[in-house]
Amino acid sequence: MSLQDDIAQTRAEALAAFDAAGGKGDAAALEAARIKYIGANGLVKAFMKRLGEVPKDQKPAVGQALNALKDELTNAHDAAKSRLGAAAPKSVSAFDVTEPLPPERQPALGKLHPLTRTVNELRDLLRALGFEVVEGPEVEDERHNFDDLNIPPDHPSRDSFDTFFLSKDALLRSQTSTVQVRMMETRKPPLRVIAPGRVYRPDIIDATHHSTFHQVEGLCVDMGVSMADLKGTLQLFVEGLFGEGTRIRFRPSFFPFTEPSAEMDCSCPACSGIGCNVCKQTGWVELGGCGMVDPAVFEAINHARGDKAYDPEVWSGFAFGFWIERLAMRRHGITDIRRFLENDLRFLRQI
Amino acid sequence: MKLPILWLRDYLDANDRQLAEAIADACARWELNPSHDPAHTLGTLFTFAGFNCDGVAGSGWNAVLELDVLSNRPDCLCVLGLAREAAAFLKLPTLAPAFQIAESGADASTWAQMTVEDAKTCPRYTARVIRGVKVGPSPQWLQDRLKAMGLTPRNNIVDITNFILFELNHPLHAFDLNKLAGKRIVVRRAKDKEPFKPLYDELPPLTPETLVIADGEKPVAIGGIIGGAGSEVSPATTDILLEAACFDPASIRRSCRRLKAGTDSSYRFERGVDILGVERASARAARLIAELAGGTIAKGSLDSNPHPAPLKELSLRHERLNALYGVNVAPQETSALLAALGCAILRETAAELTVLPPTWRRHDLAREVDLIEEVARLHGYNHVPAVTSMSARIPPRSPAEAAIDRVREHFSALGYFECTTDSLIDPKAPMPAVWTGEPPLALNKQSVLREDHSSLRNCLLVSLLNTQRLNQDRRTGIVRLFECGKVFLPKAGQARPEERQVLGLLDETGFAALADAVRRLHEALSLDGAHLKLVPPEPGYTPAFLAPESACRVVRVREMPGDERAEDAIGWLGIASAALCKAFDLKRAPAVAEIHLATLATLPSGPRRYVPLPTQPENARDVALVVDESVAWQEIERFTEKYKNLEPLRDKREATRFLSVFRGKQLGAGKKSVAFSVVYRAADRSLTDEEVNTAHRRFVDELLKTFNAALRA
């Protein structure tokens, strides 16, 4: 038989085979037909090799016919295959959603530390409320850590048992409130800043205490600022943090550098205030301390500045502080504070 | 502080029904949910008055509340103090305890003498004499009250002094007058190692820093802390010297620390007791003693300071109150609340109120703002509206904050986990001299809780190696870490160190990955006209903490106008030295780096300028150059970048692209093949292959000449 005849016959067979396989939804038959006719060693390829048999003057035409055949059969195969796809779902495919990528091909994935993520979240919310992020030193002097925060000279927290001292006038700050003092010393009111940072207290390290931990301190000084502004600001903050409808409440408390002082609670984000294990059935969780800046602090700042920039008759302000570890522990259900500074990779991957 | 409700009710003028109603009213006023049990509800009310209720033992009127009394309120370390609070928030009248006594016979000074040698530590000492008492068990009501506080009743005299401590917050001490040598009391400092036997337990030897109450010969008590054995009231006692005194809080605290002792008495003196309440406490005790143990109270008392400084008047401006509190409180309510706390209302005008605070609050009610807090607290913080009309501005991120954020994103995106390690470290750990060769700053000995947390780190590397070790021990997988943290570097002549913000990195996957991540930091920071490079240190300057062949300085390069560049070394990178790996017992020698972060934050960074994308296709040509091992990639790169400016067909915006390095037998020993690619492009037309080939040939010829190189076959 001449090549031309073979081509014609094969064309008919192939079209029938593709169509049949497509109609029956028989993927295996379709694949076998593809290999037989248009595969790398298929019949069409074999015809190409036989072009030499064809008289020279007919070669271009036969060549073109072969190309056309290849295109036609490829289209027919693809058409059959798409019918196949519609008729029956693939059983094995390159798009398996359940099979994980082999470890060596998985791109490495790092993470920020849970404390960083918690601080970042607070920071972003408070920035939206107009608070600028500032920093202060971790090694402080007595004036910034105690004196100017209205902590009396004989207060127990000044003992070397309650504060880490390096020398007589160098200590590790026991609260980020020191940054309040440093900011007011260098800037004039109005002022709205937050100071996230590391603080130190000589506590015995156990599941709920550490000698190194983190706080975020906030300070706002302006004219006519009241406790209502404090509560309003914190209300906006907790709604941003835990969602709309979160409520805030104050309980009277005592801090040397604020008066009036309060503990702030918010309605339990886990149960919306109904009562659950997170809030020990009270419906409320503790957030931190807050209050109105004590006029004695303003006076100490004025004294340090040598002016009357923070006249307590003109300016008032509020301050608040959060314990970062406590927030992160509650959020993630972490029961051991030591995990934060230990950096077990299993913990860092998990949280 | 335990608060038995039965005892509390001794001072509240209300029957069961009135009390229950007052509690319900207060709940409604403060918008609190009452509990099924009035004791729990009362606990909640105390919480919202500033005395956090930690627990309720029992229920109903027999319950005992456990309340937190904060350090500014020592006056509430007693039942009467808490009763005043309750009366204020429940709006109930109070019943005062009885202080009247019947004195008779000779003056107290007839029976005993007293000298105070240290009036600073003991600002007031009083003594009463009660003669002819009969020591025996206390009546049931007294025993019940002490038991409710967790105390064991002893005898009527001792029980009465304890009762006064819990009733009035005034610790007292009763001596057997006949056992005091010379019937004298001398308040003085102890002599060094002076013998003293306390009533119970053992104490370290006395030192002259300790204030003692002595008789004519020897110490019979440690002032304000504990009585001594031998002079105490016993069943045989008939005559009593009753001490009511005041001690300096700081001295009491220091003595307790030194002696490792603490009593209900010292707890109160440490926080401060009412110097003007001394006579009241003494009279109340004497009255009870005469009532329960008989005896006659001698006339008057020995008193070292009968006239302490008087109280000062205080004014409260209503406008100021409302401005700070954020709620308008009616003037009548303000004065009612302050009166309920014991303030004497001296004068009232439309604008302000003048009061005399009660003696027991002379320390914490000393300024207008103190009164404001009292009114706000008792009016109820729940009445503060959560509104703010403050205007806000959106403060930008500081360059330092932005730089740290970007560094964190960069390394976490590249698969590094951020860690946060303690700044307090073990000074015995091997200390890599990354920033300083000096030992880390040590905490004062007294401040040290744990030796392994007793110094301030001066590099992050030590913490990162510890973290690697921990993860190695726990088999948690390949360790790749970074930390942004402070290191503390001593500054000569200054008490406080430099706090340097640095970036620490540790990578078990090896040098190449870490070096690449660091070099690409300038991308993350969107630096303009600056980048980082790694340079081997000058010979002889390799730090001991890095393996010598791997050590690199991290160098910050700033391009200056013209051809100038400023280069500063800002850190180290390399493989941790074998000695360090051995010291930390590490199985894999990690690649580590430590970089001064602040030097990155100060560089000019984004937003980067847009450069229009080229409209013509690129013509890239690859070169594989066989050179001596000694030829560094940077040299080839510098040459090709320089040559770029001489070749008109090279695209000036396209940097030389590094492809690979190959070493093998075919090349011969000491040779390597460096492959890279350069781009030819004209701004306005397509280049022909011929043009490009000609230009490229010229370039390659120059290359081969310069580096004495060959093209790879």
Side-chain angles (χ1 to χ4, degrees), chain A residues 215-230:
Chain A
Q215 288 183 334
V216 168
E217 179 88 6
L219 171 73
C220 164
V221 181
D222 213 328
M223 284 189 197
V225 171
S226 76
M227 273 185 98
D229 294 304
L230 168 60

PDB file of all heavy atoms in Angstrom, chain A residues 215-230:
ATOM      1  N   GLN A 215       6.333  44.505  78.787  1.00  0.00           N
ATOM      2  CA  GLN A 215       5.165  45.344  79.029  1.00  0.00           C
ATOM      3  C   GLN A 215       4.992  46.298  77.866  1.00  0.00           C
ATOM      4  O   GLN A 215       5.937  46.578  77.143  1.00  0.00           O
ATOM      5  CB  GLN A 215       5.376  46.204  80.286  1.00  0.00           C
ATOM      6  CG  GLN A 215       5.325  45.458  81.590  1.00  0.00           C
ATOM      7  CD  GLN A 215       5.475  46.402  82.778  1.00  0.00           C
ATOM      8  OE1 GLN A 215       6.051  47.462  82.665  1.00  0.00           O
ATOM      9  NE2 GLN A 215       4.942  46.001  83.921  1.00  0.00           N
ATOM     10  N   VAL A 216       3.769  46.801  77.726  1.00  0.00           N
ATOM     11  CA  VAL A 216       3.557  47.966  76.870  1.00  0.00           C
ATOM     12  C   VAL A 216       2.950  49.035  77.749  1.00  0.00           C
ATOM     13  O   VAL A 216       1.959  48.804  78.433  1.00  0.00           O
ATOM     14  CB  VAL A 216       2.606  47.672  75.696  1.00  0.00           C
ATOM     15  CG1 VAL A 216       2.196  48.977  75.026  1.00  0.00           C
ATOM     16  CG2 VAL A 216       3.272  46.785  74.676  1.00  0.00           C
ATOM     17  N   GLU A 217       3.595  50.194  77.747  1.00  0.00           N
ATOM     18  CA  GLU A 217       3.128  51.303  78.570  1.00  0.00           C
ATOM     19  C   GLU A 217       2.566  52.365  77.639  1.00  0.00           C
ATOM     20  O   GLU A 217       3.124  52.618  76.577  1.00  0.00           O
ATOM     21  CB  GLU A 217       4.345  51.868  79.313  1.00  0.00           C
ATOM     22  CG  GLU A 217       4.045  53.024  80.193  1.00  0.00           C
ATOM     23  CD  GLU A 217       3.644  52.577  81.576  1.00  0.00           C
ATOM     24  OE1 GLU A 217       3.706  51.371  81.863  1.00  0.00           O
ATOM     25  OE2 GLU A 217       3.248  53.444  82.361  1.00  0.00           O
ATOM     26  N   GLY A 218       1.450  52.972  78.021  1.00  0.00           N
ATOM     27  CA  GLY A 218       0.893  54.058  77.217  1.00  0.00           C
ATOM     28  C   GLY A 218       0.778  55.314  78.047  1.00  0.00           C
ATOM     29  O   GLY A 218       0.516  55.247  79.251  1.00  0.00           O
ATOM     30  N   LEU A 219       0.985  56.458  77.431  1.00  0.00           N
ATOM     31  CA  LEU A 219       0.872  57.729  78.133  1.00  0.00           C
ATOM     32  C   LEU A 219       0.242  58.751  77.206  1.00  0.00           C
ATOM     33  O   LEU A 219       0.613  58.862  76.042  1.00  0.00           O
ATOM     34  CB  LEU A 219       2.258  58.237  78.560  1.00  0.00           C
ATOM     35  CG  LEU A 219       2.293  59.677  79.117  1.00  0.00           C
ATOM     36  CD1 LEU A 219       1.687  59.726  80.505  1.00  0.00           C
ATOM     37  CD2 LEU A 219       3.718  60.203  79.146  1.00  0.00           C
ATOM     38  N   CYS A 220      -0.754  59.464  77.748  1.00  0.00           N
ATOM     39  CA  CYS A 220      -1.364  60.553  76.994  1.00  0.00           C
ATOM     40  C   CYS A 220      -1.421  61.767  77.901  1.00  0.00           C
ATOM     41  O   CYS A 220      -1.891  61.671  79.036  1.00  0.00           O
ATOM     42  CB  CYS A 220      -2.767  60.130  76.553  1.00  0.00           C
ATOM     43  SG  CYS A 220      -3.784  61.498  76.018  1.00  0.00           S
ATOM     44  N   VAL A 221      -0.901  62.878  77.450  1.00  0.00           N
ATOM     45  CA  VAL A 221      -0.998  64.134  78.203  1.00  0.00           C
ATOM     46  C   VAL A 221      -1.598  65.177  77.279  1.00  0.00           C
ATOM     47  O   VAL A 221      -1.136  65.348  76.149  1.00  0.00           O
ATOM     48  CB  VAL A 221       0.393  64.609  78.695  1.00  0.00           C
ATOM     49  CG1 VAL A 221       0.242  65.908  79.489  1.00  0.00           C
ATOM     50  CG2 VAL A 221       1.062  63.546  79.544  1.00  0.00           C
ATOM     51  N   ASP A 222      -2.639  65.816  77.759  1.00  0.00           N
ATOM     52  CA  ASP A 222      -3.298  66.825  76.939  1.00  0.00           C
ATOM     53  C   ASP A 222      -4.100  67.726  77.870  1.00  0.00           C
ATOM     54  O   ASP A 222      -4.144  67.487  79.079  1.00  0.00           O
ATOM     55  CB  ASP A 222      -4.211  66.158  75.904  1.00  0.00           C
ATOM     56  CG  ASP A 222      -4.267  66.955  74.611  1.00  0.00           C
ATOM     57  OD1 ASP A 222      -4.168  68.197  74.678  1.00  0.00           O
ATOM     58  OD2 ASP A 222      -4.408  66.334  73.544  1.00  0.00           O
ATOM     59  N   MET A 223      -4.752  68.710  77.306  1.00  0.00           N
ATOM     60  CA  MET A 223      -5.577  69.568  78.149  1.00  0.00           C
ATOM     61  C   MET A 223      -6.944  68.916  78.342  1.00  0.00           C
ATOM     62  O   MET A 223      -7.522  68.402  77.392  1.00  0.00           O
ATOM     63  CB  MET A 223      -5.747  70.928  77.486  1.00  0.00           C
ATOM     64  CG  MET A 223      -4.510  71.791  77.604  1.00  0.00           C
ATOM     65  SD  MET A 223      -4.877  73.451  77.048  1.00  0.00           S
ATOM     66  CE  MET A 223      -3.233  74.079  76.805  1.00  0.00           C
ATOM     67  N   GLY A 224      -7.424  68.942  79.567  1.00  0.00           N
ATOM     68  CA  GLY A 224      -8.780  68.469  79.820  1.00  0.00           C
ATOM     69  C   GLY A 224      -8.979  66.975  79.661  1.00  0.00           C
ATOM     70  O   GLY A 224     -10.086  66.519  79.398  1.00  0.00           O
ATOM     71  N   VAL A 225      -7.923  66.196  79.819  1.00  0.00           N
ATOM     72  CA  VAL A 225      -8.070  64.739  79.704  1.00  0.00           C
ATOM     73  C   VAL A 225      -8.631  64.189  81.021  1.00  0.00           C
ATOM     74  O   VAL A 225      -8.168  64.544  82.098  1.00  0.00           O
ATOM     75  CB  VAL A 225      -6.710  64.090  79.402  1.00  0.00           C
ATOM     76  CG1 VAL A 225      -6.804  62.579  79.489  1.00  0.00           C
ATOM     77  CG2 VAL A 225      -6.231  64.508  78.031  1.00  0.00           C
ATOM     78  N   SER A 226      -9.646  63.334  80.927  1.00  0.00           N
ATOM     79  CA  SER A 226     -10.278  62.786  82.129  1.00  0.00           C
ATOM     80  C   SER A 226     -10.282  61.273  82.095  1.00  0.00           C
ATOM     81  O   SER A 226      -9.863  60.649  81.116  1.00  0.00           O
ATOM     82  CB  SER A 226     -11.723  63.285  82.217  1.00  0.00           C
ATOM     83  OG  SER A 226     -12.513  62.578  81.283  1.00  0.00           O
ATOM     84  N   MET A 227     -10.779  60.685  83.172  1.00  0.00           N
ATOM     85  CA  MET A 227     -10.908  59.222  83.209  1.00  0.00           C
ATOM     86  C   MET A 227     -11.839  58.714  82.126  1.00  0.00           C
ATOM     87  O   MET A 227     -11.713  57.571  81.683  1.00  0.00           O
ATOM     88  CB  MET A 227     -11.454  58.786  84.578  1.00  0.00           C
ATOM     89  CG  MET A 227     -10.379  58.594  85.620  1.00  0.00           C
ATOM     90  SD  MET A 227     -11.060  57.939  87.149  1.00  0.00           S
ATOM     91  CE  MET A 227     -10.715  56.199  86.989  1.00  0.00           C
ATOM     92  N   ALA A 228     -12.771  59.557  81.693  1.00  0.00           N
ATOM     93  CA  ALA A 228     -13.669  59.139  80.615  1.00  0.00           C
ATOM     94  C   ALA A 228     -12.883  58.967  79.320  1.00  0.00           C
ATOM     95  O   ALA A 228     -13.134  58.031  78.546  1.00  0.00           O
ATOM     96  CB  ALA A 228     -14.788  60.167  80.431  1.00  0.00           C
ATOM     97  N   ASP A 229     -11.892  59.834  79.083  1.00  0.00           N
ATOM     98  CA  ASP A 229     -11.046  59.686  77.899  1.00  0.00           C
ATOM     99  C   ASP A 229     -10.223  58.402  77.991  1.00  0.00           C
ATOM    100  O   ASP A 229     -10.025  57.698  77.003  1.00  0.00           O
ATOM    101  CB  ASP A 229     -10.114  60.888  77.757  1.00  0.00           C
ATOM    102  CG  ASP A 229     -10.885  62.166  77.466  1.00  0.00           C
ATOM    103  OD1 ASP A 229     -11.633  62.174  76.476  1.00  0.00           O
ATOM    104  OD2 ASP A 229     -10.758  63.127  78.245  1.00  0.00           O
ATOM    105  N   LEU A 230      -9.740  58.141  79.197  1.00  0.00           N
ATOM    106  CA  LEU A 230      -8.974  56.908  79.409  1.00  0.00           C
ATOM    107  C   LEU A 230      -9.836  55.686  79.086  1.00  0.00           C
ATOM    108  O   LEU A 230      -9.439  54.800  78.343  1.00  0.00           O
ATOM    109  CB  LEU A 230      -8.491  56.858  80.868  1.00  0.00           C
ATOM    110  CG  LEU A 230      -7.918  55.545  81.382  1.00  0.00           C
ATOM    111  CD1 LEU A 230      -6.711  55.113  80.572  1.00  0.00           C
ATOM    112  CD2 LEU A 230      -7.516  55.669  82.857  1.00  0.00           C
TER     113      LEU A 230
END
